[in-house]
Amino acid sequence: MMMDNGVITNNYDGVYGDGYMEQEEEWEREGLLDPAWEKQQKKTFTAWCNSHLRKAGTGIENIEEDFRNGLKLMLLLEVISGETLPKPDRGKMRFHKIANVNKALDFIASKGVKLVSIGAEEIVDGNLKMTLGMIWTIILRFAIQDISVEEMTAKEGLLLWCQRKTAPYKNVNVQNFHLSFKDGLAFCALIHRHRPDLIDYSKLSKDNPLENLNTAFDVAEKYLDIPRMLDPDDLINTPKPDERAIMTYVSCYYHAFQGAQQAETAANRICKVLKVNQENERLMEEYERLASDLLEWIRRTMPWLNSRQTDNSLAGCQKKLEDYRTYRRKHKPPRVEQKAKLETNFNTLQTKLRLSNRPAYMPTEGKMVSDIAQAWKGLEIAEKAFEEWLLSEMMRLERLEYLAQKFKHKADIHEDWTRGKEEMLQSQDFRQCKLYDIKALKKKHEAFESDLAAHQDRVEQIAAIAQELNTLEYHEVGAVNARCQRICSQWDRLGALTQRRRLALDDAERVLEQIDLLHLEFAKRAAPFNNWLDGTREDLVDMFIVHTIEEISGLMDAHARFKATLGEADKEYQAIVNLVHQVESIVKQHQIPGGLENPYTTLTAHELNRKWSDVRQLVPQRDGTLAAELRKQQNNETLRRQFAEKANAVGPWIERQMDAVTAIGMGLQGSLEDQLRRLKEYEAGVYAYKPHIEELERIHQAVQEGMIFENRYSQYTMETLRVGWEQLLTSINRTINEVENQILTRDSKGITHEQLNEFRASFNHFDKNRTGRLAPEELKSCLVSLGYSIGKDRQGELDFQRILAVVDPNNTGYVSFDAFLDFMTRESTDTDTAEQVIDSFRILAGDKPYITAEELRRELPPDQAEYCVARMPPYRGVGAPPGALDYMAFSTALYGETDL
């Protein structure tokens, strides 16, 4: 600051804004300076000066003339400041006047007021604009500057005070210091708010601005000792009244009601505390609701996952697997998000309770975070067991379907073979035959016995399959058992009938001797060859079930070995056919009647030829069936590789993200804001990566639909990747919540970035295993590194145990960074206390030990007033009026164990 020819100059912007004269000159250049403003300012500032000068028994009539000699200007400053200025010069010369004005300007400058381009000469010369600018700076410094509401500037604070006081009033909306006061209702509302006995606000109308203004100004002058500083006609007729004039007048209201400001400050503190409590209650209720909903969903889901009931069919089991896929894809993901939100809300709530000096929140029994985690773990175990059971059940049912089809196939072949055999064995045809025919029948029977023995293996296979179907609890096992019993009973009858017929033929053989050697040879060789043909045809159409390329390759190798034997079989076929040709040759040569009929077998060369042709046709068909199965297994192998390739990329990616999030959570990377930003980036990256998981789910579905139950190309399963994905999402949400809580703690407690870094660096230094927590001994070393003196004697141990009780109240054996940070910030910062809230209520109550509902509703916003009325217990002291409330008990309960 410097003096230049009596002009105070500096670059300070002042309380209200830029220098008065600079602002006036700027408005004048832009054509925005209304001449009416100067008139309004002159009247208002004159009245304001007189409101103070009258205390010294004097006043002014013309503001630009009466301050020219500096005497009344110095007197005005002494009255409003309560200080004594230097003795004025009593001469009447111009330099005496300039000296007095300079003494006044020096005093103004000593109070930090910035007078830009205002000099003593302009005041002495009666420059109205300069004089008004000087008075405005005095008003700012001594009437407005000290007004402060919620740490705002003087103008903003005064405006906010007006807004708060007039908020409940109809037709009042204070947004500025010009148009908002034109209709007079704002002035009336300010008076009614503090002195409702002076004005009946309900009778006022927005349509009568002149009446409203006169009412307010008259009441203020008569009852509040605030002189008229504004002209109602000027306010109404000026498009935009001068805000300096209105601010000056409104500031008089503020100071007139200054006694009520202490109550407002107390009300503000109470509102702040109640807002914290209401928000905490909301978070508690939301936690209880989310916890109840999630636990109820788990409770409803568990019986389904624990159920092991199916309709014992492969289709029913596949339907159950599809239901499970729908559950994992649609029903569970929202619950994963709900669980993460639940943990986030719980951590945020506990942080806010610590920051507001409230006791920790204890959820309803059975709804602790640990209870939810335990229930969730049980759900995941049930899911894994349910899916494993489903897959094993599908393998069992697939095996059952295969066995049932194989049973039917072999039973159909056997029953076709046995059809008519009982009637044949019971026949008495040999009774009318000659010796030759008897011998033929005997040989034919021997061939049948050979054929019967060959079919014994098939019957045993049928019985074995039926037994396995019983063991595996096939759903149509009753029909299988009935059919198997019929086959076995018939087989026993055939054996008995065969034995009786053989005995009968043996009796006849003694008298019949001739035998046709060629027919006999044909019968002997044709029967086993025919049986081989039947067995081969059965094998070539036999069903099979495989799961790997190796298994189908084994079947193809066996088929190749079979095809290698076809050459020898063809030789046998040709040899048997040659026997027939020989018979035909002999019969033709010797003209034997009926000689072509082979009495020893029903087999004919034509039938053998047909079956041999069938076998040769079935061989390439079998080649095609095996090739198709090979392609299927190759496709399954491709699915295995596709899944493995994708899983082997997704799995490590998830692990890397987990490591990165863990590193950020350890506070190793920049400021909290940097950590939060990086976590948000990771969160966006993770959600952007979700299509890879969905693609893997689609491949996994194809794998399951292909009945693929193992994959040697990857250590990852879909289940482990799902769990890893869910853990990654949960970890990111939890870490973001922790960082946000640390920012909340830092900002609300006022700790610096350097302090936070020091706390984090010390914590990480002793967190050797990077677990995010410290053991008691590690905590002790950490505290010592931060300057705590913890002795090694008994007293030192007691001091440390008291610290442990604060940072680890549940005796878990470790301390998290959040608890550590909360302890460190609590050591150096203050929070609101029950005593402070009690003092605030006492101010509102006028030092009474109780408060009334009417007082609460008058001093507090409606929602918080009703909150107090509903929860504040009745006052039980002597002499209290009906309805008196105990604010002390209420305030104490806010900071203790309570349901408030």
Side-chain angles (χ1 to χ4, degrees):
M1 181 183 300
M2 58 184 293
M3 294 290 295
D4 184 11
N5 295 325
V7 179
I8 302 176
T9 60
N10 53 38
N11 295 321
Y12 180 74
D13 289 338
V15 178
Y16 181 72
D18 293 337
Y20 177 85
M21 295 307 298
E22 291 181 353
Q23 185 69 69
E24 291 280 359
E25 291 168 3
E26 179 183 345
W27 287 353
E28 192 171 22
R29 285 195 305 272
E30 296 178 1
L32 299 176
L33 188 60
D34 190 336
W37 291 358
E38 189 172 278
K39 175 184 176 184
Q40 292 174 9
Q41 288 181 21
K42 180 176 179 180
K43 180 174 182 178
T44 301
F45 291 177
T46 299
W48 183 85
C49 291
N50 284 332
S51 70
H52 294 284
L53 287 172
R54 68 184 178 182
K55 298 174 185 177
T58 186
I60 61 172
E61 295 181 2
N62 192 322
I63 197 168
E64 70 267 34
E65 291 294 331
D66 293 347
F67 285 137
R68 291 178 63 180
N69 62 7
L71 296 177
K72 288 190 177 181
L73 177 61
M74 294 178 68
L75 181 60
L76 173 67
L77 291 173
E78 287 184 341
V79 171
I80 61 177
S81 69
E83 300 180 25
T84 302
L85 272 68
K87 187 175 180 181
D89 291 0
R90 292 299 178 179
K92 297 183 179 181
M93 302 297 292
R94 176 179 173 81
F95 72 88
H96 292 124
K97 298 178 181 178
I98 291 176
N100 288 336
V101 172
N102 272 328
K103 290 176 183 178
L105 295 178
D106 287 344
F107 179 78
I108 295 171
S110 71
K111 299 301 180 181
V113 177
K114 277 58 180 176
L115 295 171
V116 179
S117 302
I118 299 177
E121 287 86 348
E122 285 85 354
I123 306 302
V124 172
D125 291 338
N127 186 316
L128 177 60
K129 185 176 295 185
M130 292 299 178
T131 303
L132 291 176
M134 176 189 67
I135 298 301
W136 173 242
T137 59
I138 293 173
I139 293 171
L140 283 175
R141 171 60 184 85
F142 295 101
I144 298 178
Q145 176 175 307
D146 293 334
I147 297 175
S148 176
V149 180
E150 293 191 359
E151 301 179 359
M152 294 185 172
T153 64
K155 178 183 178 182
E156 293 170 336
L158 185 59
L159 185 64
L160 179 59
W161 178 79
C162 293
Q163 290 171 339
R164 285 185 172 177
K165 294 301 181 181
T166 61
Y169 290 88
K170 182 180 179 181
N171 295 327
V172 178
N173 182 17
V174 177
Q175 298 296 325
N176 49 58
F177 285 112
H178 37 77
L179 299 180
S180 297
F181 286 85
K182 283 191 67 173
D183 59 12
L185 288 179
F187 293 118
C188 292
L190 287 174
I191 296 172
H192 184 270
R193 180 61 185 269
H194 295 89
R195 291 291 303 275
D197 56 308
L198 299 180
I199 290 180
D200 187 351
Y201 187 84
S202 63
K203 294 182 178 180
L204 301 179
S205 171
K206 189 176 181 67
D207 298 328
N208 299 319
L210 185 61
E211 180 183 341
N212 298 336
L213 290 167
N214 280 317
T215 298
F217 296 165
D218 290 344
V219 169
E221 187 171 35
K222 182 176 180 181
Y223 296 102
L224 303 178
D225 199 26
I226 300 175
R228 277 179 173 259
M229 298 183 184
L230 302 173
D231 188 320
D233 291 326
D234 288 344
L235 290 179
I236 294 173
N237 297 325
T238 303
K240 184 178 181 182
D242 178 58
E243 69 174 357
R244 293 173 183 76
I246 293 178
M247 277 183 68
T248 301
Y249 186 57
V250 171
S251 70
C252 294
Y253 280 67
Y254 178 87
H255 291 293
F257 299 131
Q258 191 169 17
Q261 297 309 304
Q262 188 179 20
E264 182 172 358
T265 302
N268 288 339
R269 175 183 291 275
I270 292 170
C271 288
K272 178 182 176 183
V273 171
L274 293 180
K275 283 180 181 178
V276 170
N277 223 59
Q278 288 172 308
E279 174 64 13
N280 291 342
E281 284 184 4
R282 186 191 66 77
L283 289 176
M284 291 177 192
E285 291 170 359
E286 183 175 9
Y287 176 85
E288 293 284 340
R289 179 181 59 78
L290 289 176
S292 298
D293 182 61
L294 182 58
L295 289 172
E296 174 61 19
W297 176 79
I298 294 174
R299 185 191 66 78
R300 294 196 311 268
T301 303
M302 288 297 287
W304 176 66
L305 292 175
N306 291 329
S307 171
R308 297 295 183 266
Q309 298 296 322
T310 68
D311 60 359
N312 220 15
S313 69
L314 186 60
C317 199
Q318 288 172 334
K319 174 62 169 59
K320 212 170 185 66
L321 181 60
E322 183 59 33
D323 291 342
Y324 179 69
R325 291 196 192 105
T326 301
Y327 157 78
R328 289 307 303 256
R329 185 170 57 251
K330 294 182 179 179
H331 301 307
K332 190 182 178 187
R335 298 298 177 171
V336 174
E337 295 177 6
Q338 183 178 358
K339 177 174 176 288
K341 182 178 180 182
L342 195 65
E343 294 176 356
T344 299
N345 286 3
F346 182 81
N347 292 336
T348 300
L349 173 60
Q350 298 294 35
T351 299
K352 288 187 175 183
L353 289 172
R354 289 197 306 271
L355 295 178
S356 59
N357 202 24
R358 269 58 165 194
Y361 167 57
M362 183 64 66
T364 305
E365 184 177 357
K367 297 178 185 177
M368 298 284 290
V369 173
S370 58
D371 296 325
I372 294 169
Q374 183 177 0
W376 190 265
K377 182 177 181 182
L379 179 74
E380 291 178 334
I381 292 173
E383 288 174 348
K384 186 174 186 298
F386 183 69
E387 187 171 21
E388 290 175 350
W389 168 75
L390 269 179
L391 296 178
S392 65
E393 186 69 6
M394 288 184 66
M395 293 178 66
R396 183 183 75 82
L397 292 173
E398 183 187 34
R399 173 72 177 168
L400 277 177
E401 292 291 332
Y402 160 73
L403 290 174
Q405 291 296 323
K406 189 167 186 176
F407 175 84
K408 180 180 182 302
H409 179 67
K410 287 188 175 293
D412 287 345
I413 294 174
H414 177 76
E415 288 174 346
D416 285 343
W417 179 82
T418 60
R419 190 171 293 112
K421 294 295 189 296
E422 289 189 68
E423 292 79 1
M424 181 270 291
L425 290 173
Q426 292 172 340
S427 173
Q428 299 295 314
D429 54 348
F430 61 90
R431 299 293 182 188
Q432 305 299 324
C433 291
K434 297 178 181 180
L435 177 61
Y436 180 85
D437 295 327
I438 292 298
K439 288 185 177 289
L441 285 175
K442 184 173 181 292
K443 296 302 180 183
K444 181 179 178 181
H445 187 70
E446 289 176 353
F448 174 76
E449 287 182 320
S450 176
D451 200 10
L452 185 67
H455 280 77
Q456 175 70 32
D457 181 58
R458 180 183 292 120
V459 175
E460 292 175 354
Q461 289 180 13
I462 290 172
I465 294 173
Q467 179 60 40
E468 188 170 359
L469 287 172
N470 274 273
T471 302
L472 294 177
E473 300 178 357
Y474 181 55
H475 63 284
E476 294 183 359
V477 71
V480 170
N481 289 339
R483 190 173 187 183
C484 181
Q485 184 60 44
R486 289 197 300 273
I487 290 173
C488 292
S489 298
Q490 184 190 43
W491 186 254
D492 293 339
R493 291 196 303 274
L494 286 176
L497 290 172
T498 299
Q499 184 65 25
R500 286 201 298 270
R501 184 173 177 83
R502 180 176 178 80
L503 292 174
L505 289 173
D506 285 343
D507 290 341
E509 187 183 19
R510 290 192 296 270
V511 294
L512 301 173
E513 295 177 346
Q514 191 174 0
I515 185 170
D516 188 336
L517 294 178
L518 285 176
H519 281 317
L520 181 60
E521 180 68 15
F522 175 84
K524 287 182 178 180
R525 298 183 69 170
F529 187 69
N530 179 68
N531 190 56
W532 177 83
L533 285 175
D534 288 342
T536 298
R537 290 166 66 203
E538 183 177 345
D539 290 341
L540 287 174
V541 297
D542 190 20
M543 292 175 291
F544 55 84
I545 179 171
V546 296
H547 294 98
T548 64
I549 292 179
E550 290 75 10
E551 291 177 354
I552 189 62
S553 297
L555 290 179
M556 296 181 76
D557 291 343
H559 185 61
R561 291 193 296 272
F562 160 74
K563 290 195 292 186
T565 66
L566 290 178
E568 291 298 322
D570 187 63
K571 290 180 182 179
E572 179 65 11
Y573 169 74
Q574 296 300 330
I576 294 172
V577 170
N578 280 335
L579 291 175
V580 176
H581 290 164
Q582 291 178 43
V583 170
E584 291 173 345
S585 177
I586 294 172
V587 169
K588 183 178 180 181
Q589 180 181 359
H590 298 284
Q591 297 295 311
I592 301 174
L596 293 178
E597 295 182 6
N598 193 327
Y600 304 115
T601 181
T602 59
L603 292 173
T604 65
H606 175 73
E607 186 176 359
L608 291 177
N609 179 64
R610 179 181 61 78
K611 292 184 177 181
W612 179 245
S613 297
D614 287 347
V615 167
R616 286 185 295 182
Q617 289 176 1
L618 288 172
V619 168
Q621 292 178 11
R622 186 71 167 183
D623 286 336
T625 301
L626 292 172
E629 183 62 30
L630 177 62
R631 288 192 297 273
K632 175 185 174 184
Q633 293 303 324
Q634 288 172 337
N635 181 62
N636 287 353
E637 192 72 3
T638 300
L639 286 175
R640 288 188 184 95
R641 293 181 183 275
Q642 286 178 350
F643 179 84
E645 179 182 1
K646 193 68 178 176
N648 291 341
V650 171
W653 185 88
I654 291 176
E655 293 163 0
R656 290 195 300 273
Q657 305 311 299
M658 284 290 290
D659 292 341
V661 171
T662 301
I664 294 175
M666 295 298 295
L668 303 176
Q669 303 177 2
S671 67
L672 290 177
E673 284 74 11
D674 292 337
Q675 295 171 30
L676 186 59
R677 176 184 55 76
R678 295 201 60 190
L679 285 170
K680 295 287 188 180
E681 292 173 354
Y682 272 107
E683 183 180 37
V686 167
Y687 281 110
Y689 197 77
K690 190 175 183 180
H692 295 280
I693 300 296
E694 294 172 345
E695 180 183 355
L696 202 55
E697 286 282 9
R698 290 193 293 272
I699 298 174
H700 179 62
Q701 180 173 346
V703 166
Q704 288 190 332
E705 291 172 350
M707 295 296 182
I708 303 171
F709 302 108
E710 53 80 29
N711 193 338
R712 62 180 178 275
Y713 300 113
S714 176
Q715 63 176 335
Y716 299 102
T717 66
M718 196 65 238
E719 178 62 27
T720 60
L721 293 175
R722 287 174 188 146
V723 172
W725 177 257
E726 293 172 359
Q727 289 177 345
L728 176 58
L729 290 176
T730 301
S731 178
I732 290 177
N733 287 330
R734 183 183 297 115
T735 307
I736 288 175
N737 178 243
E738 290 173 355
V739 173
E740 288 175 339
N741 286 340
Q742 290 174 24
I743 292 174
L744 181 62
T745 300
R746 180 198 66 191
D747 294 344
S748 65
K749 295 297 185 178
I751 61 173
T752 65
H753 181 68
E754 290 72 19
Q755 284 177 307
L756 186 62
N757 284 345
E758 182 183 9
F759 296 156
R760 171 56 83 178
S762 298
F763 188 91
N764 288 346
H765 176 77
F766 293 98
D767 181 16
K768 304 297 184 183
N769 297 325
R770 294 295 182 262
T771 60
R773 57 194 192 185
L774 298 181
E777 288 304 315
E778 293 171 333
L779 173 66
K780 182 183 292 185
S781 300
C782 183
L783 292 173
V784 171
S785 72
L786 290 170
Y788 271 79
S789 177
I790 301 177
K792 296 184 178 180
D793 56 4
R794 176 176 175 78
Q795 184 58 46
E797 183 60 28
L798 290 175
D799 293 340
F800 182 63
Q801 290 303 319
R802 279 193 290 270
I803 294 174
L804 274 182
V806 173
V807 297
D808 183 19
N810 296 323
N811 295 320
T812 60
Y814 60 85
V815 179
S816 67
F817 180 71
D818 279 351
F820 172 74
L821 179 60
D822 181 58
F823 172 76
M824 294 305 298
T825 54
R826 218 185 303 173
E827 291 295 296
S828 55
T829 57
D830 294 326
T831 59
D832 58 88
T833 64
E835 290 73 18
Q836 291 173 332
V837 176
I838 290 173
D839 289 341
S840 298
F841 273 118
R842 183 180 289 111
I843 291 172
L844 299 187
D847 287 329
K848 299 190 302 292
Y850 59 85
I851 194 168
T852 65
E854 180 183 357
E855 290 170 330
L856 288 170
R857 293 186 177 109
R858 185 177 69 240
E859 299 296 343
L860 298 179
D863 61 330
Q864 285 158 351
E866 297 307 322
Y867 180 87
C868 291
V869 171
R871 288 165 171 76
M872 202 171 282
Y875 179 74
R876 304 299 184 187
V878 178
L885 302 174
D886 188 345
Y887 62 80
M888 295 185 187
F890 173 79
S891 301
T892 303
L894 285 177
Y895 291 85
E897 295 295 336
T898 176
D899 292 331
L900 286 179

